Amino acid sequence: KQWYNAEYGKKWYQRREREAVVSTQSTGRLRWSPLLSFHYKPFLISLSINMLMVGIVFLFLFNCVFGMTDNVPGARPKTALDQVIDTFYEMREDAVTIREEAQQIRQEGYEAISKAYQIKDDAYEVKDEAYEARTGLESLLIDTLALLKSQTTSSSLYIHEIRSTLTAINNRLDILESKMEGFEEQVEELKGSVEDQVGQLKGSLDQTYTQLIEKVDTSTTLSTIIKSRLQTWMSEVRLISLFKMADMNSPHPDYGSGVVTDGQFMMSLQVHSYMRTHCHSDNRGGKLTDNKLFIDLGGMFRIHRIHIWNNRNCCLGELVGTHIYADDSLIGTVIEASFNHDFKVSQDNPTYASQITLHQPLAKNIHVVEVQVWGSGPFNEGDLFA
């Protein structure tokens, strides 16, 4: 009994109270639950077993007190009490087995009740969510209906305004229609007048077009003649370097670079040092490397020939190795010591330039008497023709 009260009594009374509360909530009145009867069976079985054990113990004590006939040790035959005790032990083992099965059934019942309560809680949660969804839906429907109502009112106002505007437009159309009735005759008169004027203008335009065609043909012929004359005039090959500007990157202070384009050069030894007609680079202090002579032609010319008159009284070999450029195009290189050097440009490779450069990359001077550049032009950079 103590074991039962400690292990199951408290839980049984709590379960019974909970079932009663559930029954009261669902029906509104307190009633007996079948689960209570189901869990009450183990208590009756345990009570019966305890009472039977008390009876057996009482019979055993009675047999010990009044059933002894002698004190001789040895085996004695089984009495009815012994058979009852054996039967009691067998019944007790069966009762233990039944009690274990009852405990298992009770445990399964507890689990079923727990699942039922869990299902109940889930149902209440679903019910709450459904109620919240229903409340939200009702609120949304109310807001939607209010919005539709306000929109309907606004639409009615807009429709009224549109009707008023259409009425005003209809009235204006009627006024315009009445005015247009008198304009049709005027339009027909204007149409005839315009057609007459168009015919006159068409004849005048045809005449003007014919005159323009004749003038264009005449202009084309004149342009062809002028172009041919310009080509003939510009194809004249002449000395284009005479009196053009010349300069050196390292000039000698006693020699001028402009004498190479003045058209004056001596064919014999100089009589006096002040009669020099050749240029000279600065060779003082060993400044002999990378000397250059520049001649600015003043425009874009087609280069046909470059003639260089070398110094005659000495140092003919100083010019050997000098490169001659027309802008960036290499025309030729001095490869031997000579009194003059002539470089011709091939007709198959027309060269146009605005500057002639003599470049001596070796450790030598540039001292020449005259540089003559022969060519034709000048030309515009966008109007070059061979």
Side-chain angles (χ1 to χ4, degrees):
K1 185 175 180 180
Q2 293 177 355
W3 173 79
Y4 171 78
N5 290 334
E7 185 70 18
Y8 299 102
K10 186 177 180 180
K11 294 183 180 179
W12 184 82
Y13 283 108
Q14 290 177 354
R15 186 169 60 256
R16 181 176 180 184
E17 183 179 0
R18 187 165 55 250
E19 290 294 334
V21 172
V22 172
S23 176
T24 302
Q25 291 178 353
S26 60
T27 61
R29 58 189 180 85
L30 183 61
R31 66 181 181 85
W32 185 258
S33 175
L35 293 174
L36 296 179
S37 299
F38 172 77
H39 291 288
Y40 190 67
K41 291 178 181 180
F43 172 73
L44 295 177
I45 294 172
S46 179
L47 182 60
S48 301
I49 293 172
N50 291 330
M51 292 177 67
L52 182 61
M53 289 178 64
V54 170
I56 293 171
V57 170
F58 178 75
L59 291 176
F60 177 75
L61 293 175
F62 180 81
N63 186 30
C64 291
V65 174
F66 299 99
M68 292 183 182
T69 56
D70 53 12
N71 293 326
V72 179
R76 62 182 178 85
K78 289 184 179 181
T79 62
L81 180 59
D82 294 333
Q83 294 178 357
V84 170
I85 291 173
D86 293 338
T87 304
F88 166 74
Y89 281 115
E90 292 176 358
M91 291 176 63
R92 183 176 181 181
E93 292 177 358
D94 295 336
V96 171
T97 303
I98 294 171
R99 184 174 63 183
E100 292 177 354
E101 294 177 355
Q103 290 177 354
Q104 184 176 0
I105 293 171
R106 180 174 57 191
Q107 185 66 28
E108 294 176 354
Y110 286 154
E111 294 178 356
I113 291 171
S114 298
K115 291 181 180 178
Y117 276 112
Q118 183 66 32
I119 293 171
K120 178 183 176 182
D121 295 337
D122 294 340
Y124 276 118
E125 291 179 0
V126 172
K127 181 180 177 181
D128 293 337
E129 292 177 357
Y131 180 76
E132 292 177 358
R134 178 183 175 184
T135 304
L137 180 60
E138 291 177 354
S139 177
L140 180 62
L141 289 175
I142 292 171
D143 295 340
T144 304
L145 291 175
L147 179 62
L148 290 175
K149 184 177 179 180
S150 62
Q151 292 295 329
T152 303
T153 305
S154 301
S155 299
S156 300
L157 295 175
Y158 292 153
I159 291 172
H160 180 70
E161 292 179 358
I162 291 171
R163 287 179 179 176
S164 301
T165 305
L166 290 176
T167 302
I169 292 172
N170 191 16
N171 295 331
R172 292 181 180 179
L173 290 175
D174 293 337
I175 296 171
L176 290 175
E177 185 176 0
S178 62
K179 292 182 179 180
M180 288 296 295
E181 292 178 355
F183 289 159
E184 292 180 356
E185 296 179 358
Q186 297 179 3
V187 169
E188 291 295 333
E189 293 177 359
L190 291 173
K191 183 178 180 181
S193 177
V194 169
E195 288 179 354
D196 295 338
Q197 293 180 2
V198 168
Q200 295 176 2
L201 289 174
K202 185 177 181 181
S204 177
L205 289 174
D206 292 339
Q207 184 178 1
T208 303
Y209 178 75
T210 303
Q211 294 175 358
L212 287 174
I213 292 297
E214 293 176 356
K215 291 181 179 180
V216 168
D217 293 339
T218 303
S219 298
T220 303
T221 303
L222 291 174
S223 299
T224 303
I225 294 172
I226 292 171
K227 182 178 180 181
S228 176
R229 289 178 180 177
L230 286 174
Q231 289 179 347
T232 302
W233 174 69
M234 296 181 70
S235 62
E236 177 190 5
V237 179
R238 64 187 187 278
L239 182 63
I240 60 175
S241 61
L242 185 63
F243 302 127
K244 296 298 176 68
M245 291 186 297
D247 198 1
M248 301 186 74
N249 64 341
S250 181
H252 196 282
D254 296 335
Y255 296 85
S257 57
V259 296
V260 297
T261 59
D262 62 354
Q264 302 294 328
F265 47 89
M266 297 174 59
M267 295 301 178
S268 60
L269 296 176
Q270 60 185 16
V271 177
H272 197 274
S273 61
Y274 294 106
M275 297 175 62
R276 299 169 180 162
T277 60
H278 64 275
C279 68
H280 201 299
S281 58
D282 188 6
N283 60 354
R284 297 174 302 168
K287 299 178 180 179
L288 299 177
T289 304
D290 203 25
N291 291 310
K292 292 182 181 180
L293 172 66
F294 307 99
I295 299 175
D296 188 359
L297 300 178
M300 183 69 66
F301 291 88
R302 180 180 176 182
I303 309 302
H304 291 267
R305 184 175 183 179
I306 298 175
H307 191 88
I308 300 174
W309 298 87
N310 199 357
N311 194 7
R312 291 178 173 271
N313 61 342
C314 74
C315 310
L316 295 177
E318 291 292 315
L319 197 61
V320 175
T322 302
H323 303 300
I324 292 84
Y325 291 93
D327 283 349
D328 296 330
S329 300
L330 179 63
I331 303 301
T333 303
V334 177
I335 59 175
E336 61 180 356
S338 178
F339 291 111
N340 56 72
H341 303 275
D342 192 22
F343 299 94
K344 294 182 180 180
V345 180
S346 173
Q347 296 293 328
D348 298 333
N349 185 21
T351 300
Y352 296 84
S354 60
Q355 178 176 283
I356 302 301
T357 304
L358 277 65
H359 179 206
Q360 175 56 279
L362 303 177
K364 296 181 179 181
N365 282 312
I366 293 180
H367 52 155
V368 294
V369 175
E370 188 78 11
V371 177
Q372 293 178 327
V373 182
W374 300 84
S376 59
F379 299 92
N380 292 325
E381 292 185 0
D383 190 25
L384 304 178
F385 54 90

